[in-house]
Amino acid sequence: MNTSVLPEDSTTGGAARPLGGDGAGRSGPAARRRAVRLLGRVLLHAALIALAAAILVPFAWMLVSSVKRDSDVLTVPIQWIPEEFRWDNFTHIWTRIPLLTYLGNSLFLSVTITGLQVLTGSFAAYGFAKTRFPGRDALFLAYVSTIAVPWQAYMVPQYIIMERLGLVNTRLSLILLQAFGAFGVFLMRQYYLTIPDEISEAARLDGLSEYGIWARIVLPLSKPALAGLALLTFVNTWNDYMGPFIYLTDNELWTVQLGLRQFVGVYDSQYAMIMTGSVVSVLPILVVFLAGQRYFVQGIATSGMK
Amino acid sequence: MSPESGATALKRRQRRTTLVGWSFILPNFLGFAALTLIPVLATLLLAFTDWNSYSTPQWVGLENFRRMLDSDTFWVALSNTGWYAVGHIPLTLAASLGLAVLLNQKLRGVGFLRTAFFFPYVTSLVAVAVVWNMLLSPDLGPVNQLLKAVGVGHPPGWTTSTDWAMPAVVITSVWRDMGYYMVLYLAGLQAIPAELYEAARVDGAGPWQRFRHITVPALRPTTFFVLVMLTISSFKVFDLVQIMTEGGPGRSTLVLSQVIFREGIKQGRFGYSSAISLVLFVIVLTITVVQFRFQRRNER
């Protein structure tokens, strides 16, 4: 298989022919080479499509199983087309578990945390990237080093603090825990460093305050990074399991993830219903992901730059 | 203007810029300090104290660590976490690099393919774990049906078997994570100048040689970053194990972060669990520092 990372056809295809065109007898091997290359590309496409299909099989299976009878989910051989379509699984699931409450809780947490994370993160990032004061770099180092500390290594002291504040089993605990992440500050700072200082310098000469520069110049310029951070935070919060698992004990406060997990534990032979619940928990994120895919990928790519 | 007043004016301006700088950082810093920085530092102290949810903290030196080293559960969890990392890190690295190289070419529908490979990463982990648990169920699960169809007489029991539960978790985690690291690699690949490949091609280098002598060296910073991220994420694995196996069967998939959770939050043994936290932190830190050293030597 071809492992080159070059856009093969566009560059060499054009350049090689004029060079090789000096001898008339060369056309045979050249044509064969082109045929081999074409075959290679067809095979590559086929392999990649097969691979992508294999990756997506679990989703396809989840989707198909969500409209089956329980007894049809695990069968030999696998039924890729259900014997009987149970569309009403999707209406029953809402009455079996308080899914609407769970979805509402997940949405509330995701939106609040994302809003705070983007707001305070970009604000702090401006401080780190565009203002100069003693101790700034040491402070930033503290931020960056905690990104490398696994959450599990300090979750117990955090829990003690929350417990003493009486915030365990409240939504506020999760908001406080996740809204001031160092990662957002780091990601936004990386992006702000690519914005030339001359722009803010000019604004400063025009009499704009630092806050004005942040709000009117830097924020609008950093829309892709903001969108990337917002999407990453939203999806991470929506999908978070460990945070709600540790902090939320009351059923009314649960997120979709906790609700689904509990449902699986209690009704572990209702395979179809479990798949239905899984589909419902994945759909909102699928919509968010497809809508903001480009920014999402940019956000991840930015976090990889040093 | 006299030199003194110039100096005080400068000082006043400096103080002003310091205030402005801090004012930007403060809203985030207050939350960060209270709920990240202080807890991180607290772990370092608590590890050397005896403190339960009902007692007052007492300095006990290395007592927690002695107890930890005597604890069978600690060693089981440590080795399980190590096995998870040994499976997860190289497999995810290889899969994401391979996918990125393949999907960095000009292909029809490349956007769709990238999305397909990336999608598992954004999906909810609970749904992923639940679906894979069913896919891997020993008797009727689709995976074992497939294995039987290709001639495997006794396919593994996966999450019901002490030997195969960890591989099941690793397979699921690689499937989920490779899309994320693929994106990082794609970003790295796109930063490589096309002229390099052009020159190598003129010199007669084949695809494999170009990959080895251009792609791999140019991706070194990305690989370094990916390795660090994979290491950190491997040692803090919790969600997937908790949902798929809850650490079982027996203790065959019990990992360090589960022990920290059970000891620290469930049992309220703050001092003891902090000692385990510290060990987890030191392991991650050591591996990261070693990787940094290695990276720097390679650059020279």
Side-chain angles (χ1 to χ4, degrees), chain A residues 20-66:
Chain A
D22 49 357
R26 290 273 185 91
S27 74
R32 196 184 310 147
R33 225 180 303 139
R34 230 172 303 141
V36 166
R37 187 171 295 162
L38 185 70
L39 185 70
R41 296 189 66 75
V42 169
L43 285 178
L44 178 66
H45 265 94
L48 280 172
I49 290 167
L51 205 57
I55 294 295
L56 292 179
V57 158
F59 292 112
W61 189 73
M62 171 174 86
L63 214 55
V64 170
S65 304
S66 71

Side-chain angles (χ1 to χ4, degrees), chain B residues 106-120:
Chain B
K106 279 204 178 129
L107 296 167
R108 211 160 290 162
V110 77
F112 171 78
L113 289 170
R114 285 179 190 170
T115 308
F117 289 115
F118 186 58
F119 187 60

Side-chain angles (χ1 to χ4, degrees), chain A residues 8 24 33 40 60 77 97 104 115 119 137 150 154 192 207 237 245 258 268-269 272 302:
Chain A
E8 201 100 16
R33 225 180 303 139
I97 43 173
L119 192 72
D137 295 336
Y154 57 91
Y192 288 172
T237 315
F245 176 76
L258 287 183
D268 64 352
S269 58
T302 311

Side-chain angles (χ1 to χ4, degrees), chain A residues 3 5-6 12 41 55 59 75 120 123 143 152-153 158 211 239 242 257 261 286 293 296 300 303, chain B residues 23-24 28-29 35 43 101 106 115 118 122-124 145 175 178 184 197 201 225 236 239 246 257:
Chain A
T3 45
V5 289
L6 251 199
T12 42
R41 296 189 66 75
I55 294 295
F59 292 112
T75 54
T120 68
F123 204 57
Y143 266 80
Q152 283 73 354
Q158 267 183 343
Y211 309 104
N239 288 340
M242 197 177 184
Q257 313 303 335
R261 177 67 188 87
L286 178 67
Q293 209 203 114
F296 205 90
I300 293 174
S303 74
Chain B
S23 72
F24 273 102
N28 189 282
F29 180 74
L35 293 162
T43 302
V101 167
K106 279 204 178 129
T115 308
F118 186 58
V122 293
T123 319
S124 96
Q145 281 191 47
W175 172 83
M178 62 186 183
L184 291 179
Y197 291 102
R201 200 193 301 264
F225 183 76
K236 66 179 190 187
D239 294 10
E246 290 184 40
S257 50

Side-chain angles (χ1 to χ4, degrees), chain B residues 212-272:
Chain B
R212 252 203 70 193
H213 296 294
I214 299 175
T215 313
V216 171
L219 284 179
R220 201 162 281 151
T222 313
T223 301
F224 169 69
F225 183 76
V226 168
L227 264 179
V228 170
M229 299 301 282
L230 274 173
T231 308
I232 297 171
S233 80
S234 290
F235 278 90
K236 66 179 190 187
V237 61
F238 178 91
D239 294 10
L240 200 61
V241 184
Q242 180 66 28
I243 303 163
M244 280 183 85
T245 64
E246 290 184 40
R251 291 183 301 189
S252 60
T253 56
L254 186 73
V255 289
L256 280 178
S257 50
Q258 283 173 313
V259 178
I260 296 171
F261 166 70
R262 288 178 190 182
E263 292 290 336
I265 291 167
K266 280 262 147 131
Q267 310 285 335
R269 297 188 189 118
F270 301 146
Y272 181 57

Side-chain angles (χ1 to χ4, degrees), chain B residues 49-68:
Chain B
T49 64
D50 182 19
W51 188 21
N52 298 316
S53 41
Y54 46 85
S55 71
T56 46
Q58 248 176 346
W59 191 263
V60 290
L62 294 172
E63 174 61 26
N64 286 326
F65 294 94
R66 204 189 53 74
R67 220 176 99 198
M68 183 180 74

Side-chain angles (χ1 to χ4, degrees), chain A residues 126 200 203-204 208-220:
Chain A
Y126 185 89
S200 30
R204 228 164 267 150
L208 214 56
S209 74
E210 293 297 317
Y211 309 104
I213 298 174
W214 171 75
R216 294 212 216 147
I217 295 172
V218 172
L219 268 195

Side-chain angles (χ1 to χ4, degrees), chain A residues 254-265:
Chain A
W254 280 2
T255 61
V256 172
Q257 313 303 335
L258 287 183
L260 185 64
R261 177 67 188 87
Q262 185 68 12
F263 184 61
V264 172

